[in-house]
Amino acid sequence: MVDQRTTRPGRRLHALVDRLLGRNGTTIPAPRRSNPDAVVDCAVYVDGRREPGRPHYADAYARSRRGRDAFVWLGLHEPGPAVMAAVGRVFGLDELTVEQALADGHRPTVQRHGDVTLLVLRTAGYVEHDELTESSEVIDTGDVMVFLGDRFVLTVRHGASGALTTVRAEIEQRPAVLAEGPWAVAYAVCDRMVDLYLEVAGHVERDLDRVEENVFSPDRSVDIQHVYQLKREVVEFKRAVLPLQSPLRTLLEPHPANPPRSLHRRFADVDARLARAVDRVAAYDDLLTSIVQSRLAQLAVEQNNDMRKIAAWAAIAAAQTGIAGVYGMNFPTLPGLEWRYGYAVALGLMLLAALTLHRLFRRSGWL
């Protein structure tokens, strides 16, 4: 006969173990992981449509690998080394790629690291200002790095400009395009960056019109330092726009790792609009160079006019000094020293010489 006193505690222990292991139909929910602060958004897309929720990026990537026609889009803004290292382990990024993602100021390029393609773009934003000064910030630039894999796309952004929240919202309204996979996200990011280039170019054009008007106005109130500052800002903008042409055209070449053929027309349209932005920025740079040269020529002419005025007044003063110097020698044989009207005649001669020289200089344009 079995002792009940020994079996009851054992049964209770087995029941507790069964509940912990979920054998009785109940499971203990795993603690929910939260994304770090550097994560702007994380979502899984299936057939071009976003799955509900905002899961942890590791769970999202695991879900995308289990699903068909699914991928995860993870957006990061200025991640720290710990966060980027953890993301790299989840998505299989090598150490060099992780280091690249941590740094900013990259030149636009396309690189391939194994099965991962890296697309780097520069962001640009116009900084509103009441007037142009020698320290005005006109264009704010940053960069965005797009890592593309088989079932994932990572966007790592540095800088305040070029936020991708609107990009995500707009592409989610186009499930047919988003169904093309991670390269659809790359297309949306490129499209947005080129739109920003054209928008900033429009604002810069208005600044150029004001500077040009002030430089060639009669009062010429603009300072050469203001023109130099705008020139520096346009050069920075030019460095963001022009180098992107080569990477975009590389993506249009036939290559297994390049975008699918269904997206080629869209990337070609982005490349065409980028060419317009490049032409405008190059024209602005050339125009500013001409304005700077014109302003320097104006300054040289103004300085020459000032020197001529100084020389004219010095010549007028020299005539008076010459007459006063001769009659100040006090030689006994100097004619006119004993003349009653000598003093008045000397003053009259000085005045006549001054008026004659002043008239001649005015007629020649020196005064």
Side-chain angles (χ1 to χ4, degrees), residues 11 38 44 82 115 121 155 174 179 203 214 233 237 253 285-286 314 332 340 346 350 352:
R11 290 175 180 175
V44 177
D115 296 332
L121 304 96
T155 54
R174 305 165 67 186
H203 290 292
N214 292 331
E233 294 292 308
F237 186 32
E253 297 174 356
D285 189 34
D286 294 340
R340 179 178 179 181
M350 291 181 185
L352 178 62

Side-chain angles (χ1 to χ4, degrees), residues 124-126 128 139 192-206 237 273 276-277 280 284:
Y126 182 77
E128 296 289 346
I139 301 171
R192 176 59 178 167
M193 293 304 108
V194 173
D195 285 342
L196 287 177
Y197 297 160
L198 293 172
E199 179 182 337
V200 172
H203 290 292
V204 173
E205 185 174 5
R206 286 191 287 272
F237 186 32
R273 289 188 292 114
R276 286 166 43 202
R280 294 178 68 178
Y284 298 159

Side-chain angles (χ1 to χ4, degrees), residues 30-60:
R32 183 177 180 181
R33 292 183 291 185
S34 59
N35 288 308
D37 294 337
V39 174
V40 179
D41 201 353
C42 180
V44 177
Y45 297 89
V46 180
D47 291 328
R49 300 189 181 277
R50 177 171 181 159
E51 294 290 294
R54 184 183 171 187
H56 188 271
Y57 59 84
D59 300 332

Side-chain angles (χ1 to χ4, degrees), residues 134-174:
E134 59 185 19
S135 60
S136 295
E137 185 179 11
V138 180
I139 301 171
D140 180 31
T141 59
D143 60 58
V144 58
M145 309 177 73
V146 184
F147 298 89
L148 298 128
D150 181 35
R151 293 297 185 94
F152 69 87
V153 54
L154 310 179
T155 54
V156 182
R157 186 169 59 87
H158 295 276
S161 61
L164 302 179
T165 304
T166 56
V167 177
R168 190 185 289 264
E170 291 174 359
I171 196 66
E172 286 178 355
Q173 302 300 319
R174 305 165 67 186

Side-chain angles (χ1 to χ4, degrees), residues 45 55 66 73 106 110 121 150 171 184 225 274 308 354 363:
Y45 297 89
R66 290 193 301 267
W73 179 3
H106 293 286
V110 171
L121 304 96
D150 181 35
I171 196 66
Q225 296 297 331
L274 177 63
R308 289 195 301 179
R363 182 179 297 177

